[in-house]
Amino acid sequence: MIQSIKFFCFAYLLLRVIAACGEPQSLVGHALDVRIDPERGTIAVRDRLDLPEAVGSWDFFLHRGLAPQIVGGTGTLTRIGVREHLEHFRLEPKGSTPIELSYAGSIRHGLEDIGEGMGRARKSSRGLISEDGVVLDGLSGWYPRAPDALQYFDLRVRLPRGWLAVSQGAGPEVSKGDDGVSVHWHEPRPQDDIYLIAAPFARYAKPTPNGEAQVYLRSSDPDLAERYLEATERYLSLYSRLIGPYPYAKFALVENFWDTGLGMPSFTLLGPRVIRLPFILYTSYPHEVLHNWWGNGVYVDYETGNWSEGLTAYLADHLLAEQRGRGAEYRRDSLRAYADYVREANDFPLRAFRGRHGSASQAVGYGKTLMVLHMLRRNLGDEKFVASLRRFYREHLFQTASFDDLRQAMEKESGLELASFFRHWTERTGAPELALTDVRVEQATDGQVLRGRLEQIQAEDPFPLRVPLVVHLEDGSILEHRVPLSDRSAAFELKLPLAPIRVDVDPQFDLFRILAPGETSTTLSALFGSERGLILLPADAPAGLAEGYRQLAKAWREGSPGWEIARDADLKTLPEGRPVWLLGWSNRFLGDLAPDKADFQLDAKRHLLRLPEGEYQGADFSLAMVRRREGQPVGWVASPTASALPGLARKLPHYGKYSYLVFQGEAPINRVKGQWPARDSSLAVWLGDRRPKLTTPPRRPLTAVLK
Ligand SMILES: [Zn+2]
């Protein structure tokens, strides 16, 4: 399963326990006959095991209290101990007849909240059989599993009438009987887990050349289903062409009964709210489909670093942005997330990434990984980069693979030696910080020469870089050059056919690095990423609203204990040297938002905000924005009604990449989102008197290799 860190940490723990038992990774077959009683929360299973030949003993985990017994074949079964909700057993088969186990009992764990930083939490269960539905994976212990084993399976599930079960692989074959339904799934190729999801689903399907598209909804909605079937067909086709054949018989969207965003082999389990958000079809959904190549097709060797999230984000989220001409923007946002959320104390090398458990680990495990992949693509060229990914997929499908395997595929396709590059970017923390100095234009006999110096000014050792330099010439043409910079500093010299207007260092954000001042505007992530700060409540607000603001402040502090809450009336001036949230129209420090007249206008008396997008009356809209004041971010949230505040508290932490936001209603619904315009950066130098508006055209997206 992709993205569920709670489960992951637990898996990791178990894996280490098992590894200590000295068992090598093995392939185990299961023929599972399952009966589920949702009302009582119980499961009854017969499992015929196909163990590796000549296995002397096999250690596995099963949910507590299922009391497994050998009912076929001969052997001994010993209970070793208990670990949280799981029991550890050792099976020693005797003779050649396959062992068949029988067990039964209840698996019913409620939802637990998992904090993910300021104002962010999600729910997870260790395994749940209930009237609302069934969600079981290997860590719930519903089938006997050694966490480092791979398994293939044949699964028959008997359920009450009207119910359907979903698992990975091929299916479902459904047969109806007097006492309920029987649903059959099977997957003959090695899987790193077996999932069992069930509910009274409405099922939709559509055959496609790359496998069947399926949709399972908890209430019938043909229009919604149709949109997902169509999107599934489109993304299966895109990634089959880009990387290699889709590895499963079907891909299914499955609606969960709480909000999740989980990618399993050949299906995704999304929450009821999430699947109805229109943008999901273009954001999370392709990401989950692509995980069938990365993570659920080629498996991750977690001990040496999870490369799959960054690669999936690069080829889904980033690629789709690139197709809209917004690749550079996406990369800049990734760099800003790293700057805002990651500190020395929570930074880690890519080889230590296991899974996301908040914004900082996401900025490294997803964001830095995708920037490193982007640098590799720039070094290899699009064709060889794609050829490397195809080779990596072909050679490691249904096996675990590491960053080293990825490196070898790239070396084979490109002929480049990449060991040093991978060492620096996957084994070190930190990021390079660039400076552009000594820039001058000199006349030469046959034109002009641009000279200057690039430096790496971070405290850590230099990183291996090839720094893009872009020169805008007076006729509107653009010259791009890449300067190798593996040491502290490198001089450059460029012959120019015409007079230059401006030189920019890495204007398309092709390098993983610390952004220079002026390259990016302040956004809410500067506040949500800060470990400490101050939230100021408005003492003068009406009672209901004041209580609403207090609840919002408490909700945000829950995920970030380094934040304090105080009343504006108890302070004479804003504290310096730390971030501040101002709450409410009546907050007496509103004047400290330091309005730059060019960006917005705030009329506190009339509750009126003027943005580039228009005018917003505080009586109708909830507003949020962030400015910088003496280097520190100052944020502001104001709402006309207390009933919109719980929604704002929940939603705003997900809008970290915006500088200002306008919401409407009690839900509340986002109406406007934007970033303040960036200022001139220290990595750009004007070379003449003219200051025209200059832009660098976007590059062709990676999918251009398919043409
Ligand atoms: Zn993912």
Side-chain angles (χ1 to χ4, degrees):
M1 169 165 32
I2 302 298
Q3 253 186 33
S4 178
I5 187 59
K6 173 79 180 195
F7 286 147
F8 175 73
C9 289
F10 196 71
Y12 190 65
L13 190 83
L14 291 183
L15 190 127
R16 300 205 71 103
V17 171
I18 285 290
C21 301
E23 288 290 328
Q25 185 167 40
S26 53
L27 180 63
V28 177
H30 296 265
L32 291 149
D33 201 331
V34 179
R35 184 184 287 275
I36 284 181
D37 185 338
E39 216 166 281
R40 294 168 57 205
T42 57
I43 186 169
V45 181
R46 281 177 87 100
D47 183 9
R48 201 180 68 242
L49 293 165
D50 183 5
L51 294 169
E53 260 177 51
V55 67
S57 76
W58 187 61
D59 278 37
F60 66 86
F61 287 83
L62 200 62
H63 195 275
R64 253 166 110 155
L66 295 184
Q69 288 183 345
I70 297 174
V71 292
T74 46
T76 56
L77 186 61
T78 318
R79 183 176 175 279
I80 305 290
V82 171
R83 196 151 194 120
E84 300 208 16
H85 64 287
L86 297 179
E87 268 177 305
H88 180 182
F89 292 94
R90 183 162 299 153
L91 174 65
E92 286 160 292
K94 309 252 178 335
S96 56
T97 326
I99 296 284
E100 189 167 349
L101 295 176
S102 171
Y103 51 89
S106 146
I107 301 181
R108 200 162 202 164
H109 297 274
L111 299 181
E112 300 165 43
D113 271 323
I114 296 165
E116 293 197 317
M118 193 181 229
R120 298 179 70 150
R122 66 196 156 86
K123 296 196 182 299
S124 180
S125 163
R126 289 167 187 237
L128 182 56
I129 301 173
S130 75
E131 293 112 307
D132 291 328
V134 174
V135 177
L136 298 171
D137 69 357
L139 289 157
S140 68
W142 75 274
Y143 68 95
R145 180 184 189 227
D148 64 341
L150 295 175
Q151 39 264 311
Y152 60 93
F153 68 91
D154 188 90
L155 169 64
R156 271 168 218 282
V157 189
R158 275 172 291 169
L159 291 153
R161 223 176 312 186
W163 280 58
L164 260 181
V166 186
S167 186
Q168 66 254 62
E173 288 160 43
V174 182
S175 49
K176 290 175 183 157
D178 292 341
D179 58 340
V181 292
S182 169
V183 186
H184 179 215
W185 289 92
H186 67 103
E187 177 52 64
R189 272 97 39 103
Q191 300 292 297
D192 71 352
D193 201 351
I194 309 173
Y195 298 92
L196 173 46
I197 314 296
F201 286 123
R203 176 175 178 272
Y204 305 84
K206 178 186 186 185
T208 91
N210 300 292
E212 190 172 66
Q214 300 180 355
V215 169
Y216 296 82
L217 298 178
R218 298 175 63 86
S219 55
S220 114
D221 189 340
D223 292 343
L224 182 67
E226 183 52 38
R227 289 201 290 280
Y228 276 97
L229 294 174
E230 186 274 322
T232 306
E233 175 166 23
R234 187 155 32 94
Y235 295 128
L236 289 180
S237 162
L238 169 66
Y239 292 123
S240 295
R241 286 186 302 141
L242 188 64
I243 305 161
Y246 178 65
Y248 291 102
K250 63 102 182 23
F251 185 82
L253 166 79
V254 184
E255 181 177 0
N256 201 0
F257 53 105
W258 72 90
D259 270 321
T260 48
L262 300 174
M264 280 82 157
S266 80
F267 69 97
T268 178
L269 190 62
L270 298 182
R273 198 178 54 83
V274 173
I275 64 167
R276 288 172 177 83
L277 298 173
F279 57 82
I280 292 295
L281 276 166
Y282 310 97
T283 53
S284 308
Y285 196 64
H287 181 109
E288 301 304 346
V289 173
L290 180 56
H291 265 310
N292 288 283
W293 282 261
W294 312 129
N296 291 328
V298 180
Y299 303 129
V300 176
D301 176 8
Y302 285 99
E303 290 279 358
T304 57
N306 180 354
W307 46 267
S308 85
E309 288 301 347
L311 185 52
T312 303
Y314 189 61
L315 296 179
D317 312 55
H318 178 270
L319 180 64
L320 296 170
E322 211 177 20
Q323 286 180 323
R324 297 193 307 271
R326 311 185 87 159
E329 209 175 302
Y330 187 96
R331 294 188 293 276
R332 187 201 55 201
D333 288 347
S334 300
L335 296 178
R336 190 179 36 228
Y338 180 82
D340 283 348
Y341 292 120
V342 182
R343 316 261 167 277
E344 216 179 308
N346 61 11
D347 199 356
F348 54 88
L350 297 188
R351 284 184 187 270
F353 180 57
R354 307 283 178 255
R356 177 175 71 89
H357 47 85
S359 302
S361 53
Q362 180 165 354
V364 177
Y366 291 55
K368 177 179 175 182
T369 307
L370 80 84
M371 289 303 301
V372 169
L373 289 162
H374 182 73
M375 290 192 286
L376 284 162
R377 169 186 169 193
R378 298 282 295 150
N379 291 348
L380 268 66
D382 287 8
E383 270 73 19
K384 285 184 176 150
F385 180 73
V386 168
S388 309
L389 297 179
R390 288 175 176 163
R391 174 188 283 273
F392 179 60
Y393 178 66
R394 202 168 57 230
E395 292 182 349
H396 299 283
L397 180 61
F398 298 123
Q399 301 164 26
T400 55
S402 64
F403 275 112
D404 285 331
D405 297 315
L406 189 57
R407 172 180 58 78
Q408 281 167 18
M410 290 181 173
E411 287 178 335
K412 280 183 197 152
E413 288 296 334
S414 69
L416 296 173
E417 200 275 309
L418 297 169
S420 158
F421 180 97
F422 270 78
R423 221 173 16 252
H424 280 282
W425 293 111
T426 66
E427 294 177 14
R428 295 177 56 186
T429 57
E433 195 173 351
L434 298 179
L436 173 64
T437 56
D438 300 340
V439 178
R440 62 205 183 275
V441 183
E442 286 161 13
Q443 286 297 328
T445 45
D446 51 348
Q448 310 199 16
V449 181
L450 174 69
R451 290 200 172 84
R453 180 166 286 282
L454 284 166
E455 291 176 64
Q456 294 197 41
I457 57 172
Q458 74 280 3
E460 300 102 324
D461 288 344
F463 290 82
L465 294 172
R466 296 184 65 192
V467 182
L469 268 189
V470 172
V471 187
H472 292 266
L473 301 176
E474 61 180 359
D475 66 344
S477 61
I478 291 172
L479 217 75
E480 183 163 352
H481 183 73
R482 295 215 289 161
V483 182
L485 178 65
S486 294
D487 294 316
R488 278 283 162 210
S489 125
F492 62 85
E493 185 181 302
L494 266 82
K495 280 201 142 178
L496 307 176
L498 290 166
I501 296 174
R502 195 178 71 190
V503 58
D504 290 286
V505 175
D506 192 24
Q508 306 235 52
F509 307 98
D510 290 322
L511 304 177
F512 179 69
R513 61 183 175 86
I514 303 292
L515 291 169
E519 278 193 289
T520 174
S521 44
T522 302
T523 65
L524 296 186
S525 57
L527 289 154
F528 289 123
S530 181
E531 281 169 2
R532 41 182 223 100
L534 179 67
I535 306 178
L536 279 182
L537 303 170
D540 294 345
L545 210 45
E547 179 54 26
Y549 286 126
R550 202 172 359 260
Q551 292 304 329
L552 176 140
K554 272 175 66 183
W556 283 357
R557 195 179 56 180
E558 208 131 284
S560 278
W563 281 74
E564 280 178 60
I565 302 174
R567 291 188 334 147
D568 59 354
D570 299 335
L571 260 71
K572 285 207 173 61
T573 56
L574 278 191
E576 279 170 18
R578 63 173 163 162
V580 179
W581 272 114
L582 307 176
L583 304 186
W585 274 105
S586 61
N587 199 295
R588 61 187 64 183
F589 294 105
L590 263 197
D592 288 85
L593 279 173
D596 179 330
K597 298 282 185 292
D599 289 342
F600 74 98
Q601 283 180 313
L602 190 62
D603 185 338
K605 279 208 185 74
R606 292 167 57 209
H607 287 199
L608 189 73
L609 174 67
R610 277 192 202 93
L611 287 169
E613 285 82 354
E615 271 192 13
Y616 300 93
Q617 255 299 338
D620 302 321
F621 296 98
S622 298
L623 308 163
M625 69 159 72
V626 59
R627 304 292 296 173
R628 284 227 179 240
R629 178 181 167 274
E630 281 149 32
Q632 291 295 328
V634 181
W636 171 56
V637 179
S639 174
T641 152
S643 52
L645 287 170
L648 274 183
R650 200 180 61 244
K651 288 186 173 187
L652 281 175
H654 295 273
Y655 285 87
K657 64 178 181 177
Y658 298 101
S659 306
Y660 55 88
L661 295 143
V662 177
F663 291 86
Q664 194 170 26
E666 296 186 354
I669 295 162
N670 178 248
R671 294 295 182 208
V672 176
K673 50 186 193 237
Q675 293 178 355
W676 307 126
R679 308 282 173 231
D680 272 349
S681 125
S682 58
L683 293 180
V685 174
W686 292 95
L687 299 164
D689 299 330
R690 286 177 53 215
R691 301 278 166 106
K693 190 170 163 51
L694 299 174
T695 50
T696 318
R699 292 197 205 92
R700 60 175 207 163
L702 194 61
T703 38
V705 301
L706 298 175
K707 304 256 157 62

